Amino acid sequence: MFDSVLIANRGEVAVRIMRACAQLRVKTIAVFSEADAEASYLRLADHTVCIGPAPALSSYADGAAILLAAEATGASSIHPGYGFLSENASFAAQVEEAGIVFIGPPSAVVAAMGDKIAAKQAMQAAGVPCVPGSSGALPGDPAALRDLASAIGYPLLVKAAAGGGGRGMRVVTCEQDLGDAVALASKEAVQFFGSPDVYIERYLQGPRHVEIQVVRDSYGNAVWLGERDCSMQRRHQKVLEESPAPHLDRELLVATAERCLIACHEIGYVGVGTFEFLVDQGAFYFIEINTRLQVEHPITEATYGVDLVQAQIRIGAGETLPWEQSDLVACGHAIECRINAEDPDTFMPSPGRITRWDLPGGPYVRVDTHINAGDVVTRHYDALLAKIIVHAPSRPEAIRAMQGALAEFRVEGVSTNISLHQRILADREFLRGGASVHRLERLLAQERGQSLEPAYERHAD
Amino acid sequence: MSDTLTKLDHVRLSPAQVSDLASLLDRGEKSTIYMDTVRGRFAVTLAPAEAALAAPGAESRAVTTTVCAGSVGEFLTSHPQRAALFVTVGQRVQHGDLLALVRTGPLLTPVVFDGVNGRTSRLVRCLAEPGALVGYGTPLFELEC
């Protein structure tokens, strides 16, 4: 096992990693920016060091600053958490070159899976079902492009190969709009991701977002730990997740998960990873693989009774997978609500000092947070304050437990989206289970007294 | 003015500092509060409007400034292969003088005095232990000019 883990992240996930390290008796080194210098969670680390000013590009997302801190503190490994540098292949490569363990897949795998075209080709080769679409870069000849498009079928989605988070995406409903949409998406792709490559695929009208958790060690042992339904999204950002996904064809899920494990072997995947799918008309379509810990990993931990972060660190340290597939049995139903410091109606960030922080508790309830009363929520980073996770014997009991937890939770000093979660938990379509990725946007539009056009919106990261 | 505001953007005020500022404002007399940041020491002088207008830059008393670390590493007050200190307490230094090094692995990053309005300054004290791990913004030296 490592002597120490440097946590190249902040906030909730930094605390999550510190807790896993404490269980493993591994020392933690927390890096922080000037904006977080007074943050209370830093006291949970064994060592702390300031690496830069508030802007993320000069601190948490500055690979050189993180590497200097690792060198200066003698860290034997770096855990990137999620966001910031977690899926940055060149950072992972630099960490490897420095002789430090990057807790995640090898940098070559991070690089290959970061390119959506390459990832899709790798998945198709492993038999993982993908959305029908172009298998590589688009043909430059307009006639060939039109032929390809009609073979896939309209409506189509034009996406940036290096993209994510909904940027560089265009929906095309008819042939006349195709050329312009490709040109525009390509321009956005350059602007946001520095590469003009785009691809096209069938646009699914009302899909759900379902993802499969996998873990593989360096010796070729791999398992999958169920699925998560993350269809409750706003502007491609997940808001509430649950596991298991309601009303899903379990046989098809198992078959798809087994394909994911084959893909893991083919690409040499190591660590925890998530295969994201759109599920439409009962069929699974691969979107992308996230080569890191997911924000919503606790609902899988709850239903399977495991610690994914400990497993991730153990695998990084060269240990074998702590479980076999037959050990892993899910029980009950888990839901996670992401509590953000934001206005529950306008969704504008709400930075400020937390003056009251009364957490919920009791049976079925877990709260992952870095916040204590007196802490300041800065405007420099994402607004995630806490994740409330409930795990109960059944979905209705989990929903009731979450309603109780949200009602108990008292936050003052900043606005939160607690009431948004209460509205979701009261929504008939959510209660029925299996709502599409457009449901939350439609619910919000209804509340504003508007009807939402067929939502040309897609999945979140 | 806008430049000053931009620079102050990254300055954190602790609750105690905010409370100090508020009580100084309440008092209605001219007073100065110092804030140490990675960009050096900020001095904010609060005064009733007439007092501020009456004495623009008339202050002649000593101004102290802080030099902070700009990166993470081990704080060195002398070169690893030499015994002589770069600077000693009481010494006068000017803009561009080398005060210390921050060692990160094989990398030695110089800590250089930026100077205060081109005036020479006197090293008042060393604020960090030689050999200590310092981070971005750790105060290293206090100087007076």
Side-chain angles (χ1 to χ4, degrees):
Chain A
M1 185 45 65
F2 305 117
D3 295 331
S4 58
V5 173
L6 182 141
I7 301 164
N9 216 300
R10 65 176 298 281
E12 177 275 325
V13 72
V15 171
R16 177 68 192 85
I17 298 163
M18 287 177 210
R19 287 182 172 145
C21 288
Q23 296 284 306
L24 293 166
R25 308 282 186 267
V26 175
K27 284 202 168 63
T28 50
I29 300 154
V31 299
F32 63 94
S33 76
E34 280 194 299
D36 283 331
E38 311 291 332
S40 65
Y41 74 88
L42 290 170
R43 72 183 158 75
L44 298 174
D46 295 299
H47 303 284
T48 58
V49 63
C50 182
I51 52 165
L57 281 174
S58 309
S59 50
Y60 301 108
D62 182 344
I66 303 269
L67 281 165
L68 280 177
E71 176 73 47
T73 54
S76 47
S77 65
I78 294 182
H79 195 308
Y82 50 71
F84 297 126
L85 296 166
S86 61
E87 291 183 284
N88 183 318
S90 65
F91 174 69
Q94 285 165 6
V95 174
E96 289 164 2
E97 281 162 26
I100 299 168
V101 175
F102 178 78
I103 300 179
S107 59
V109 173
V110 179
M113 297 301 109
D115 178 337
K116 292 194 173 192
I117 293 175
K120 199 172 162 184
Q121 284 169 344
M123 290 311 122
Q124 277 169 331
V128 176
C130 297
V131 182
S134 56
S135 55
L138 292 178
D141 171 36
L145 179 63
R146 278 199 300 275
D147 289 349
L148 177 66
S150 41
I152 295 165
Y154 291 89
L156 287 169
L157 193 69
V158 186
K159 292 169 88 171
R167 282 176 161 174
M169 287 191 194
R170 283 264 176 283
V171 174
V172 189
T173 50
C174 59
E175 194 173 287
Q176 293 91 288
D177 300 339
L178 182 65
D180 286 349
V182 169
L184 266 174
S186 181
K187 201 173 145 192
E188 279 184 15
V190 171
Q191 200 180 331
F192 293 127
F193 310 109
S195 155
D197 289 343
V198 295
Y199 64 104
I200 55 176
E201 63 184 27
R202 174 95 49 78
Y203 175 69
L204 307 172
Q205 310 261 6
R208 296 164 65 185
H209 176 120
V210 176
E211 57 189 31
I212 295 174
Q213 177 72 57
V214 299
V215 187
R216 185 174 183 268
D217 67 19
S218 321
Y219 311 98
N221 307 301
V223 295
W224 66 283
L225 296 99
E227 82 287 10
R228 297 182 287 258
D229 187 328
C230 313
S231 301
M232 285 295 135
Q233 303 180 0
R234 184 185 160 271
R235 297 207 176 160
H236 315 291
Q237 296 297 315
K238 295 167 184 168
V239 174
L240 177 153
E241 305 93 350
E242 63 182 316
S243 182
H247 316 311
L248 205 62
D249 178 342
R250 306 312 292 179
E251 273 181 37
L252 187 60
L253 173 71
V254 171
T256 308
E258 283 169 357
R259 290 283 168 195
C260 293
L261 294 187
I262 293 170
C264 283
H265 295 307
E266 304 265 318
I267 60 182
Y269 198 84
V270 177
V272 303
T274 298
F275 286 74
E276 293 194 331
F277 291 89
L278 291 176
V279 176
D280 196 44
Q281 318 277 336
F284 279 73
Y285 299 102
F286 172 78
I287 323 171
E288 65 182 7
I289 174 165
N290 289 319
T291 57
R292 54 168 166 83
L293 189 71
Q294 300 272 107
V295 177
E296 59 274 21
H297 74 276
I299 54 176
T300 299
E301 294 188 321
T303 51
Y304 281 87
V306 297
D307 184 329
L308 284 172
V309 184
Q310 273 196 55
Q312 189 183 25
I313 296 168
R314 284 183 186 281
I315 289 167
E319 293 185 18
T320 53
L321 198 62
W323 327 287
E324 291 194 16
Q325 191 69 56
S326 56
D327 302 335
L328 297 166
V329 182
C331 83
H333 197 94
I335 302 175
E336 173 184 275
C337 288
R338 300 188 188 192
I339 308 301
N340 297 330
E342 65 188 16
D343 184 287
D345 298 307
T346 65
F347 302 101
M348 292 296 287
S350 174
R353 185 176 295 277
I354 307 271
T355 52
R356 181 175 181 180
W357 186 250
D358 299 346
L359 289 177
Y364 305 154
V365 178
R366 158 179 170 181
V367 182
D368 280 17
T369 181
H370 59 295
I371 297 286
N372 288 291
D375 274 327
V376 171
V377 181
T378 94
R379 61 190 163 76
H380 294 286
Y381 315 112
D382 77 31
L384 183 67
L385 295 178
K387 303 187 306 201
I388 303 182
I389 303 106
V390 298
H391 179 218
S394 67
R395 187 169 189 263
E397 286 164 289
I399 290 171
R400 278 201 296 278
M402 184 61 86
Q403 286 166 330
L406 293 171
E408 274 185 35
F409 200 179
R410 285 277 183 283
V411 183
E412 287 172 13
V414 300
S415 301
T416 74
N417 62 347
I418 290 174
S419 67
L420 172 69
H421 286 289
Q422 288 169 324
R423 277 134 62 198
I424 294 172
L425 293 174
D427 176 45
R428 257 189 300 176
E429 283 203 33
F430 172 79
L431 291 172
R432 200 180 299 137
S436 88
V437 293
H438 306 311
R439 179 58 205 156
L440 179 54
E441 295 277 12
R442 293 214 174 99
L443 178 68
L444 295 170
Q446 279 167 10
E447 287 179 350
R448 290 191 300 264
Q450 302 162 343
S451 71
L452 195 64
E453 291 297 303
Y456 292 133
E457 300 280 340
R458 281 292 290 264
H459 75 283
D461 285 325
Chain B
M1 190 61 192
S2 66
D3 186 44
T4 312
L5 283 176
T6 312
K7 280 184 175 171
L8 284 171
D9 190 44
H10 300 307
V11 176
R12 291 186 316 273
L13 290 183
S14 68
Q17 284 171 319
V18 173
S19 150
D20 286 351
L21 277 171
S23 60
L24 287 173
L25 277 170
D26 270 354
R27 235 181 279 163
E29 59 193 37
K30 189 173 174 184
S31 5
T32 302
I33 182 167
Y34 295 98
M35 287 172 285
D36 289 323
T37 79
V38 70
R39 290 165 198 275
R41 172 165 283 195
F42 283 87
V44 178
T45 302
L46 299 167
E50 61 277 15
L53 285 172
E59 288 243 337
S60 59
R61 66 185 179 84
V63 173
T64 58
T65 184
T66 308
V67 175
C68 299
S71 66
V72 184
E74 183 189 0
F75 176 52
L76 302 178
T77 48
S78 60
H79 189 277
Q81 287 163 4
R82 287 179 207 162
L85 297 173
F86 293 116
V87 282
T88 50
V89 170
Q91 189 178 329
R92 293 203 78 78
V93 293
Q94 57 187 359
H95 172 79
D97 280 353
L98 179 66
L99 304 182
L101 296 168
V102 173
R103 174 160 68 184
T104 316
L107 191 69
L108 296 171
T109 309
V111 177
V112 173
F113 181 53
D114 255 350
V116 179
N117 304 326
R119 291 150 75 181
T120 64
S121 300
R122 191 176 65 85
L123 182 66
V124 178
R125 55 190 178 120
C126 183
L127 302 169
E129 280 295 311
L133 175 70
V134 295
Y136 177 87
T138 305
L140 302 177
F141 296 104
E142 187 180 311
L143 295 103
E144 192 179 78
C145 65

